[in-house]
Amino acid sequence: MQSTAQCAQCGQKNNLLICTRCRSVYYCSKEHQSKDWEKHKPNCASLAINKSEKQKKTSANEESDARLRNAFMIEGSSEEEIIKSSAQVLSGECKSDWKVPMSEKDNRNICLDNVPQHLQCQDEEDVVDQVSKDVVRDMNAYGVCVVDNFLGKAKCSAVLNEVKQMHSAGMFRDGQLVSSKVNRDRRTIRSDKIAWVDGREEYCHHISCLINQVDRVITKANRMSGNGKMGSYAINGRTKAMVACYPGHDAHYVKHVDNPNEDGRCITAIYYLNENWNVNEDGGLLRIYPEGRHDKVANIEPQFDRILFFWSDRRNPHEVLPAKRTRYAITIWYFDAVEREKARERYLRTSGAGLNS
């Protein structure tokens, strides 16, 4: 691209000199600069001031952006909220009491060619066992595990109906951050709406069944022999379930880490409830940046009846890209007992506040 600069006196475009004061006006020679001085003099000072202010503003914006980029890498769900709340006891081995038609409970009469093994299972216990093995295998290899058709269509629809009823009843609030120190509108970092449930609420029967099913998978994966990295944790509790709604209109969550400061969370489990989701039209992609894989990302579409597991710490920074329509998910975090106890002791020492038992 050719320069548009030219001598302010004669219009020449070659071998130009610039006014060293305002650095905005050009001349082909000192002679022409002198001749133009009376005309240029009234504007020179103001041009210099404006340029200086613009440079300062640009520098300040760059510094602010750098701080925000760093903040985005550490902001997750409210750490204080996680540490202060009581750990939920895992559901154990009891089967879920799904209230859907018997003929629709598993919906697994499918062709068995080239399908995941858990979809070939008819018994709920066999499904849990196979998914647990898949979780152990993939978490060891990749730090991430994706399971499709986790519950079956009828069960997922039952959970989705309860979430929609909660949304219609106005039960969601703004999602929180690890820290309140970032000087920025929270909605530019995360714009989801959330509600915490423990599954005992009268309007959460099928959400409770989902929680129970995920508990059983994590418990079995944590206790089975030869489970690799999963065996290094003592998982005996979890958070309540966080029901999240991204209400369209480019709602998003910038790049962050769920547990940047060792608050006890070791595994993140996210269950998606979005029917007929087309990521090209609807957006809302979850993008994971696995640690040590700088040339690779994991793009997870929030598809109906899909569940995702990944390590909650700094191994898996992730973001939710802007969603064009309403996007639902349920997240559960599982605690390592040793790390959680240390986090709660640290919180007591530094804050002097009380904790829920």
Side-chain angles (χ1 to χ4, degrees):
M1 181 181 293
Q2 294 184 340
S3 173
T4 58
Q6 61 184 28
C7 176
Q9 183 69 16
C10 69
Q12 181 176 313
K13 297 182 178 181
N14 299 321
N15 302 319
L16 297 175
L17 305 172
I18 192 170
C19 174
T20 56
R21 186 184 187 192
C22 69
R23 305 194 66 80
S24 298
V25 179
Y26 295 85
Y27 299 98
C28 64
S29 64
K30 289 185 178 181
E31 179 183 1
H32 279 192
Q33 183 180 17
S34 296
K35 288 183 178 181
D36 191 56
W37 178 239
E38 289 301 320
K39 178 181 177 182
H40 174 52
K41 182 178 178 179
N43 299 320
C44 186
S46 61
L47 286 171
I49 292 172
N50 289 340
K51 196 170 189 76
S52 175
E53 290 299 322
K54 184 176 181 180
Q55 289 173 340
K56 288 179 181 178
K57 186 174 182 180
T58 299
S59 177
N61 286 340
E62 290 175 350
E63 182 179 348
S64 175
D65 288 344
R67 287 198 303 269
L68 288 170
R69 282 194 296 273
N70 291 333
F72 292 170
M73 283 299 296
I74 64 172
E75 294 295 343
S77 296
S78 173
E79 183 177 90
E80 182 174 354
E81 188 171 25
I82 294 294
I83 294 175
K84 288 179 65 176
S85 62
S86 302
Q88 304 294 298
V89 178
L90 302 188
S91 301
E93 297 300 322
C94 59
K95 291 188 177 182
S96 302
D97 179 26
W98 293 97
K99 297 186 183 303
V100 295
M102 289 295 294
S103 61
E104 298 180 11
K105 276 197 173 182
D106 288 308
N107 212 12
R108 296 183 184 277
N109 297 319
I110 56 177
C111 175
L112 301 184
D113 295 332
N114 300 316
V115 298
Q117 287 185 322
H118 77 277
L119 294 182
Q120 301 179 29
C121 302
Q122 296 297 322
D123 182 74
E124 185 177 291
E125 188 57 40
D126 292 338
V127 173
V128 169
D129 185 66
Q130 186 56 55
V131 172
S132 301
K133 292 176 181 177
D134 293 344
V135 169
V136 167
R137 180 196 64 211
D138 291 351
M139 293 288 275
N140 278 324
Y142 313 111
V144 176
C145 177
V146 178
V147 179
D148 286 330
N149 303 295
F150 179 60
L151 298 179
K153 182 177 179 180
K155 294 176 182 178
C156 185
S157 295
V159 175
L160 175 58
N161 287 338
E162 290 180 349
V163 170
K164 285 182 174 180
Q165 288 171 8
M166 290 174 61
H167 191 194
S168 298
M171 300 178 65
F172 291 84
R173 61 180 175 84
D174 291 340
Q176 302 300 306
L177 303 174
V178 164
S179 170
S180 59
K181 296 179 180 179
V182 178
N183 185 24
R184 188 179 177 93
D185 183 351
R186 181 204 62 81
R187 288 170 297 180
T188 66
I189 297 175
R190 64 181 298 186
S191 43
D192 57 333
K193 306 286 185 179
I194 66 171
W196 294 94
V197 299
D198 61 19
R200 292 189 289 268
E201 299 86 353
E202 62 180 12
Y203 49 84
C204 290
H205 177 82
H206 292 107
I207 294 175
S208 176
C209 292
L210 165 67
I211 295 170
N212 177 55
Q213 187 91 331
V214 183
D215 280 358
R216 293 170 64 197
V217 168
I218 293 297
T219 299
K220 186 172 284 288
N222 186 229
R223 295 177 181 175
M224 67 174 50
S225 61
N227 60 357
K229 297 175 184 177
M230 187 72 72
S232 65
Y233 298 102
I235 301 175
N236 63 359
R238 55 164 168 77
T239 64
K240 293 181 178 181
M242 186 187 78
V243 185
C245 170
Y246 288 78
H249 309 292
D250 289 332
H252 65 285
Y253 197 158
V254 300
K255 190 177 179 182
H256 65 283
V257 173
D258 285 350
N259 175 18
N261 301 317
E262 299 182 350
D263 63 21
R265 288 176 288 177
C266 61
I267 295 175
T268 301
I270 308 177
Y271 184 67
Y272 293 114
L273 297 150
N274 307 295
E275 297 177 290
N276 304 314
W277 193 268
N278 183 333
V279 74
N280 294 322
E281 297 177 1
D282 303 323
L285 186 78
L286 178 74
R287 177 165 291 162
I288 301 178
Y289 301 82
E291 183 183 52
R293 299 171 181 260
H294 303 296
D295 59 335
K296 297 183 184 298
V297 297
N299 290 325
I300 313 297
E301 298 183 14
Q303 298 290 350
F304 184 80
D305 200 22
R306 168 175 287 175
I307 192 166
L308 165 69
F309 302 89
F310 58 88
W311 303 122
S312 304
D313 59 19
R314 293 177 182 270
R315 284 173 285 184
N316 285 309
H318 54 283
E319 63 180 327
V320 177
L321 301 185
K324 306 297 183 182
R325 69 179 176 97
T326 302
R327 174 190 187 274
Y328 293 116
I330 297 177
T331 302
I332 308 169
W333 286 279
Y334 288 85
F335 291 125
D336 172 59
V338 176
E339 184 180 299
R340 176 168 169 80
E341 184 59 29
K342 290 179 179 179
R344 287 166 71 83
E345 290 175 357
R346 186 171 63 245
Y347 179 79
L348 283 173
R349 287 197 309 270
T350 57
S351 71
L355 294 171
N356 295 324
S357 60

